[in-house]
Amino acid sequence: MKPRGRFILIQAGLIAGYGLIIGRALFLMLQDNQKLEKIALQQYRTSVQSEAGRSRILDRKGKELAMDKPVWSLYADPAEVRHPYQTSAVLSKKLKISQKDLRGKLKSNRRFVWIQRRVEASTIEAIRPLQLEGIYVIKENKRYYPQGPLAGHVLGAVGLDSKALGGIELAYDHYLMRHPVSGVYMKDAKGRLYLASTRFAGTHPKGDLYLTIDKGLQFLLEESLERTVRKHAAKGGSAVMLDPATGAVLGLANYPFFNPNHFDEVSLSRWRNRAVTDLYEPGSTFKLVFLAAALEDGALSLNESIDCEGGRLQLPTGNVIHDSKPHGRLTPPEIIKVSSNIGAYKIARRLGPKRMDEWIRAFGFGQRTGIDFPSEAAGIVRPHRGWSMMETATISFGQAVGTTPLQIASFYAAIANDGAQMKPYLVEKVVSPEGDLLYQSRPEILHRPITAKTSQRLKEILKGAVLEGGTGQAAFLAEYPVAGKTGTSQKSEPGLGYLPGRYVATFVGFAPADRPRLVLLVLIDEPSHEQYTGSQVAAPPFKEMMLRALQYVGVPPARGGGLPVMEAHAESMPRFYAERKLKTDGDSFEVPDFKGATLRHVLRAVTHFPVEVEFKGRGVAYQQDPEPGSWIAKGSRIYVAFKPLY
Amino acid sequence: MFNKKLIFLILVLGLALTYAWSRIHVIELGYAVTQLGKEAEQLTRDNGLLKTRLADALATAKLAALAKKHKMSPPDQTRIFFISEETQ
């Protein structure tokens, strides 16, 4: 064949070959072949899932109460484990788990078995260098509570895969939980990822949760509560501290404590936030309900005297009610001061069962306060139509009704707050990682059952109860006027009635009584020594907690005690503090002279202007960039260096 | 005529090479981004671990125990001074 003929033949062959390939490619492309498409996608695309996680829970000042801790989980592909005996021997030592169990897992026919979940970094560091065949790790997050049991009952717990199991963790799960997010990556022939993915964001914004709880207040409540329970060999105890003006829960403690880091090592009963979920008979702390009601209804005068029958009153039904001590004629404030059951009954009797029932419910008893915490108990208040005469009498001094400690604290907070009962709440705000406010709580008035005038009269009566001769004398503070009431109630069980020797001792009150800042309830469950009354057992820790708390929040002493209150004048403060007004012009502003200012003053100055401020050191500012008097634009950065004052 | 064809061919070849180079560069950058992403993730985890250690060290109960060990106690009431700030 001639060269030209050979060339044409080769050319034709090549064209035919390419034509076939192109034709086949077109055929495959045009055909609706999902199976082939799937195979192709599997070859160069892969889906990678991020680990689940949760946002932080902080106290009202931003201190961490709950956070995620990076951990690793070990799994095995038994098909790849060639020496199960040796591998299990090594792992059992490092992980401190049974070698036999491990060997069983490594000989399994499955392609995936968990070896151990949530392994700490130090253990993984010890295992990694061993390069064990068929053993792999997955990155995970474990919920960690750096404060241990502090506020454990409030926080709740989190299980495997960041799943909320109780408490605030569960109530605000939609803000806290970051579900695993999938991202699609491109991969090469060796399986290496080479293109970053676009991740699919979750549907609900996530953010750090700021509680109303103050870590410092919570600590002092818990410390004092534990000491009191131990001292009286009691079964347990609770303490609730509220801000009466807003309803914010500043501290909420229960003893025995619950450490959410080890939630799986204790029984479920230890998880309960008993101040919110458990009921008790409030005893004499309930007497204020009917005193408030009688004053509000105009059925009682504070000057009149009521015969307390020498401490023994027989009802027409034959039942007898007693006082702990015999009393003659007493005025209503004296009835509260000495906590006379007979006097309290005679006040409540003026209202009658129907009105008593209405007033109980007007103060929110028998219904949930609506606190943002799961499983709140509503309490037990039977309808008045079923009340016997004896039941009417016992209800007047706080028996035959069931309330939570929180309800009682909330009731006294209403007295402290000029009659406005605020809804208790535990979460102040939720802030996204970018600083956006996702949720902000708003104080909400639940009821306004009494007027400010009645509230004022009740405050005066409660102040009397902690003075000499009052049952709450042990709660008296020399530095601050205190208003409060003791309560002692006998515990009962269905079918057994009241149980001898088993009491609940309570003290609830507020301070400073004239301008209340804090409301506190202390409850001690079953003090087992000879002392069991509210005045003996609950009033002393109330006094200690309240004094330390008022000092902690910076309430100056209202009287006596010799505590000095110093006045700070503008001329004695750094110069900047006295002239903190900024000069602005559109989007620009003049950099002030920060020299001599504290960090707080600098922050306060720039708080309404979108600039970044970088700080170094502590104490007072001594250097800054830009210089004072320079004009800078929105988004600029200011550098301020501080040096210690002394 | 020959020059025009040659220029056209060089142009096509140049474009093809530029396209190939850009694709290779994109893939290289993809590897780099993925690697940096992994490093960032690791650093974030390390940072998270350090934050838990810091929070752990600053736990109130631990600080209180340390204070007690060093014979520190809450201040006596007479040693607390309240300073009321003048607002204007």
Side-chain angles (χ1 to χ4, degrees):
Chain A
M1 194 182 278
K2 286 182 181 176
R4 184 171 171 75
R6 279 208 301 271
F7 177 71
I8 291 169
L9 196 66
I10 291 168
Q11 214 173 19
L14 281 171
I15 289 169
Y18 277 119
L20 274 173
I21 292 168
I22 291 166
R24 178 67 180 157
L26 280 171
F27 174 74
L28 290 173
M29 280 171 73
L30 294 173
Q31 198 186 23
D32 184 20
N33 196 332
Q34 288 183 343
K35 192 180 166 189
L36 285 173
E37 193 181 337
K38 199 175 166 189
I39 292 169
L41 286 176
Q42 274 177 351
Q43 282 176 357
Y44 63 83
R45 270 168 49 165
T46 186
S47 172
V48 177
Q49 205 175 46
S50 70
E51 64 266 29
R54 298 180 74 77
S55 300
R56 297 178 302 166
I57 301 179
L58 312 165
D59 85 336
R60 66 188 297 116
K61 290 179 180 164
K63 303 288 180 195
E64 283 117 340
L65 298 175
M67 61 204 299
D68 270 358
K69 186 178 193 176
V71 287
W72 289 261
S73 286
L74 278 169
Y75 72 94
D77 179 355
E80 292 180 22
V81 181
R82 283 191 293 177
H83 309 291
Y85 189 84
Q86 288 94 322
T87 307
S88 61
V90 172
L91 281 177
S92 86
K93 273 185 199 163
K94 302 282 181 196
L95 299 172
K96 296 181 180 65
I97 50 178
S98 148
Q99 191 181 342
K100 193 181 163 192
D101 291 348
L102 263 177
R103 213 164 42 240
K105 283 181 180 177
L106 297 180
K107 284 183 174 176
S108 155
N109 291 327
R110 289 184 293 160
R111 293 298 306 266
F112 181 100
V113 282
W114 285 116
I115 300 293
Q116 196 172 58
R117 300 288 301 269
R118 306 197 294 185
V119 180
E120 297 281 335
S122 54
T123 314
I124 285 294
E125 291 309 316
I127 292 172
R128 261 207 185 113
L130 304 174
Q131 294 187 325
L132 299 168
E133 285 175 328
I135 305 295
Y136 301 97
V137 292
I138 290 178
K139 290 171 189 169
E140 285 195 298
N141 286 311
K142 174 187 176 182
R143 200 55 161 168
Y144 182 62
Y145 302 88
Q147 302 287 337
L150 192 89
H153 291 103
V154 174
L155 296 170
V158 169
L160 287 173
D161 301 319
S162 298
K163 196 176 175 196
L165 301 175
I168 284 292
E169 295 272 21
L170 184 63
Y172 284 86
D173 193 44
H174 52 294
Y175 278 119
L176 292 167
M177 177 71 183
R178 293 192 308 273
H179 290 281
V181 174
S182 291
V184 177
Y185 284 78
M186 305 299 277
K187 67 174 178 181
D188 63 14
K190 289 182 179 175
R192 291 176 302 177
L193 307 179
Y194 69 88
L195 273 181
S197 93
T198 308
R199 295 213 155 168
F200 305 112
T203 50
H204 200 281
K206 309 295 169 190
D208 287 340
L209 208 83
Y210 285 75
L211 296 184
T212 54
I213 299 268
D214 184 297
K215 186 178 75 140
L217 291 174
Q218 181 72 21
F219 180 75
L220 69 88
L221 291 191
E222 289 191 4
E223 192 201 25
S224 184
L225 185 67
E226 181 183 14
R227 221 172 332 107
T228 307
V229 171
R230 286 178 184 273
K231 181 184 170 189
H232 293 280
K235 192 176 167 189
S238 296
V240 183
M241 184 174 275
L242 300 176
D243 176 347
T246 61
V249 181
L250 302 174
L252 204 163
N254 296 288
Y255 187 84
F257 300 136
F258 165 66
N259 187 342
N261 288 318
H262 307 291
F263 68 90
D264 46 357
E265 294 170 14
V266 293
S267 68
L268 277 174
S269 64
R270 280 283 282 277
W271 290 44
R272 284 207 315 272
N273 186 356
R274 292 183 303 280
V276 179
T277 62
D278 285 17
L279 300 178
Y280 78 112
E281 290 189 358
S284 299
T285 56
F286 208 65
K287 288 171 182 167
L288 261 286
V289 172
F290 307 111
L291 178 63
L295 288 173
E296 197 65 36
D297 279 359
L300 184 75
S301 156
L302 291 182
N303 301 321
E304 66 182 286
S305 70
I306 295 168
D307 186 5
C308 292
E309 311 283 348
R312 186 181 188 281
L313 174 69
Q314 187 162 19
L315 301 178
T317 52
N319 299 104
V320 179
I321 54 175
H322 296 275
D323 278 339
S324 56
K325 283 179 188 168
H327 300 291
R329 297 192 76 84
L330 297 174
T331 60
E334 287 168 339
I335 287 171
I336 295 301
K337 187 174 182 179
V338 301
S339 200
S340 163
N341 290 340
I342 294 166
Y345 167 60
K346 286 194 171 181
I347 291 171
R349 196 170 61 182
R350 295 185 184 186
L351 298 164
K354 183 173 178 286
R355 199 76 187 113
M356 281 171 74
D357 190 352
E358 285 168 1
W359 271 107
I360 290 170
R361 293 177 204 281
F363 280 112
F365 296 107
Q367 53 201 289
R368 293 180 180 89
T369 64
I371 190 172
D372 44 352
F373 191 87
S375 309
E376 185 192 7
I380 299 170
V381 181
R382 293 205 316 127
H384 68 275
R385 284 194 183 83
W387 295 359
S388 65
M389 184 174 275
M390 184 59 181
E391 197 171 350
T392 307
T394 55
I395 287 172
S396 71
F397 43 84
Q399 291 180 357
V401 284
T403 66
T404 64
L406 178 70
Q407 284 175 327
I408 293 293
S410 174
F411 163 56
Y412 277 77
I415 297 172
N417 193 35
D418 292 337
Q421 192 167 10
M422 308 303 290
K423 182 177 172 178
Y425 62 97
L426 277 161
V427 172
E428 188 69 48
K429 60 183 175 184
V430 182
V431 180
S432 78
E434 293 76 32
D436 297 327
L437 196 62
L438 303 177
Y439 167 79
Q440 173 72 61
S441 60
R442 299 263 175 263
E444 191 183 321
I445 297 176
L446 278 179
H447 321 273
R448 197 184 278 277
I450 51 170
T451 59
K453 188 183 169 193
T454 305
S455 149
Q456 193 52 42
R457 293 159 94 183
L458 294 172
K459 280 182 201 169
E460 291 302 322
I461 292 169
L462 288 171
K463 273 163 79 175
V466 297
L467 298 178
E468 196 176 348
T471 53
Q473 199 184 335
F476 175 83
L477 286 172
E479 301 83 0
Y480 304 93
V482 173
K485 180 76 191 83
T486 53
T488 310
S489 56
Q490 211 169 345
K491 290 180 80 172
S492 63
E493 265 184 30
L496 297 173
Y498 286 100
L499 307 167
R502 290 171 66 179
Y503 295 93
V504 174
T506 325
F507 191 91
V508 58
F510 46 86
D514 305 316
R515 293 179 66 185
R517 287 283 303 273
L518 302 173
V519 171
L520 174 63
L521 174 140
V522 179
L523 178 150
I524 306 298
D525 185 17
E526 289 190 33
S528 65
H529 292 162
E530 284 186 358
Q531 294 184 325
Y532 62 88
T533 62
S535 54
Q536 293 167 324
V537 178
F542 173 95
K543 175 182 178 169
E544 184 193 346
M545 290 178 198
M546 186 57 93
L547 177 63
R548 288 176 66 192
L550 287 169
Q551 289 172 346
Y552 177 86
V553 297
V555 179
R559 66 177 183 212
L563 297 188
V565 179
M566 298 168 77
E567 281 271 312
H569 298 285
E571 56 267 30
S572 68
M573 298 298 284
R575 187 163 50 86
F576 172 73
Y577 181 60
E579 34 176 71
R580 57 173 178 267
K581 268 203 162 178
L582 292 178
K583 289 179 187 169
T584 57
D585 179 14
D587 272 356
S588 304
F589 83 102
E590 189 183 4
V591 178
D593 186 359
F594 290 123
K595 288 186 189 82
T598 61
L599 177 63
R600 191 197 304 177
H601 295 139
V602 175
L603 283 172
R604 197 183 291 171
V606 297
T607 192
H608 299 302
F609 208 82
V611 289
E612 279 183 52
V613 187
E614 191 180 324
F615 305 108
K616 190 183 173 188
R618 62 182 180 84
V620 290
Y622 75 105
Q623 262 182 3
Q624 68 178 89
D625 182 31
E627 286 297 312
S630 320
W631 284 82
I632 59 168
K634 178 181 173 183
S636 303
R637 178 183 285 249
I638 302 175
Y639 169 82
V640 186
F642 295 83
K643 64 177 180 183
L645 266 169
Y646 46 88
Chain B
M1 188 65 190
F2 174 75
N3 281 347
K4 275 187 182 173
K5 272 187 179 175
L6 190 67
I7 288 166
F8 179 73
L9 272 174
I10 290 169
L11 209 66
V12 170
L13 197 67
L15 280 173
L17 284 172
T18 308
Y19 176 74
W21 175 84
S22 71
R23 291 301 307 155
I24 290 168
H25 195 60
V26 165
I27 289 169
E28 276 176 357
L29 284 175
Y31 278 122
V33 168
T34 308
Q35 185 57 32
L36 285 172
K38 275 185 185 171
E39 283 175 25
E41 194 187 340
Q42 187 54 45
L43 287 172
T44 308
R45 280 177 75 82
D46 288 349
N47 183 252
L49 203 60
L50 290 172
K51 278 182 180 166
T52 58
R53 286 182 187 162
L54 178 67
D56 200 28
L58 295 175
T60 314
K62 282 190 182 170
L63 293 178
L66 271 175
K68 204 172 175 182
K69 189 179 160 190
H70 290 95
K71 299 188 168 44
M72 295 166 86
S73 59
D76 179 61
Q77 283 163 38
T78 55
R79 298 189 65 83
I80 298 173
F81 292 82
F82 292 88
I83 300 173
S84 66
E85 273 189 13
E86 195 178 70
T87 50
Q88 289 298 320

